[in-house]
Structure formats: C-alpha cells, structure tokens
Amino acid sequence: MSRSPLAWIAASAVGTTALLLGAPALAQSGAAAAAAAKPASVETMNDMALAAAVNVCELAVEQKVPVQNAVISNAKAITYVVTAAHGGQIAGAGKLEASQIVNGTIVQIVGRVKQGCYPKITADDKKFVDEVIAQFTAQAKQQQKK
C-alpha cells in the first residue's frame, strides 16, 4: 500500500516540527506568546513560499539535492515560523494544525518550483512535483463537489 506524496511528506515534516517546537530556544513565553501572536499575513506566507521555492531550486539545480528533500526542509522551516511567531495562525484561515501548515506550504512551494526551475530539475524531481500538484488538484476538485 503506497501513501500519497503529501501524506508522507506532511507526516515527516510534522514529526520533525514537533521536535523543533519543543526546543529550548522557543521557550520565550511559551503558550502565552503563541496565544497573543498576530496571524501571519497572506503576503508573508507568499513571501516565505517564494523564498523557499528559490532555495529549493538552488539546492536542486546547483547542489543536486532531491526536490522532495529540499521541499520538506523548507516546509519545516515555514511551519516552525508560523507556529512559533504566529501561534499557528494565518490570516483568513485562523489557527491551523502543523500538518495543515505543512501541506499548504508544500503545495505553495511546489507550485512555485513548477513555475521557476522546473525545466532544470531531474526527471525524478519533475515526477515528484507533478504528483504533488496532481494530488492537490484532485483534492481541490473533491472539495468543490462538497
């Protein structure tokens, strides 16, 4: 039985993010700081996703790091920022679970990789990008039917 790319990546990233969130460096004010946090704006999320996609492209094209690995790393970083600095809140979406942030971030990053360096990445990396986009598109269509 195979798992979808998003499910596997989200599970991997959420597990690591949970470990990071318990790090002593985050113990500033703990739950009180997260509760009082201002939601991340849509513009901030777009900027972080664009920066992450540029990083993914740099790592994949110049350093030959698999796109999947680079996407996971960047999704973890963005999820950490949104959770730690914004209490897991995104404007217009409310408070989200780490897995929701990871999944949304993955889709945003992969979409920008497709627009950016897609012609320069390996066939395996293209397959990963295409699978994530296809899965997201299928899920979006199912949501519209509901």
Side-chain angles (χ1 to χ4, degrees):
M1 174 167 85
S2 66
R3 290 174 68 175
S4 67
L6 277 181
W8 181 85
I9 294 169
S12 169
V14 169
T16 304
T17 301
L19 291 174
L20 289 173
L21 292 177
L26 190 63
Q28 303 161 3
S29 301
K38 179 180 173 187
S41 70
V42 172
E43 294 80 14
T44 296
M45 294 304 296
N46 285 334
D47 289 346
M48 286 193 291
L50 179 58
V54 169
N55 188 36
V56 168
C57 286
E58 173 66 20
L59 290 170
V61 174
E62 300 299 327
Q63 304 300 318
K64 308 303 182 211
V65 173
V67 166
Q68 183 171 339
N69 294 359
V71 167
I72 290 170
S73 179
N74 280 276
K76 289 176 187 177
I78 291 173
T79 300
Y80 178 81
V81 169
V82 172
T83 304
H86 301 282
Q89 301 174 75
I90 298 174
K95 183 164 176 39
L96 301 171
E97 297 294 322
S99 63
Q100 294 172 303
I101 299 167
V102 168
N103 281 336
T105 300
I106 289 168
V107 171
Q108 293 295 314
I109 294 169
V110 167
R112 285 169 175 82
V113 168
K114 177 84 174 190
Q115 293 172 339
C117 63
Y118 187 83
K120 297 178 182 179
I121 60 178
T122 68
D124 285 343
D125 288 339
K126 287 178 183 176
K127 181 180 176 192
F128 168 76
V129 168
D130 293 340
E131 286 176 358
V132 170
I133 291 171
Q135 183 180 351
F136 173 74
T137 302
Q139 287 175 353
K141 286 181 183 176
Q142 280 193 332
Q143 289 291 334
Q144 288 176 346
K145 290 179 182 178
K146 292 182 180 180

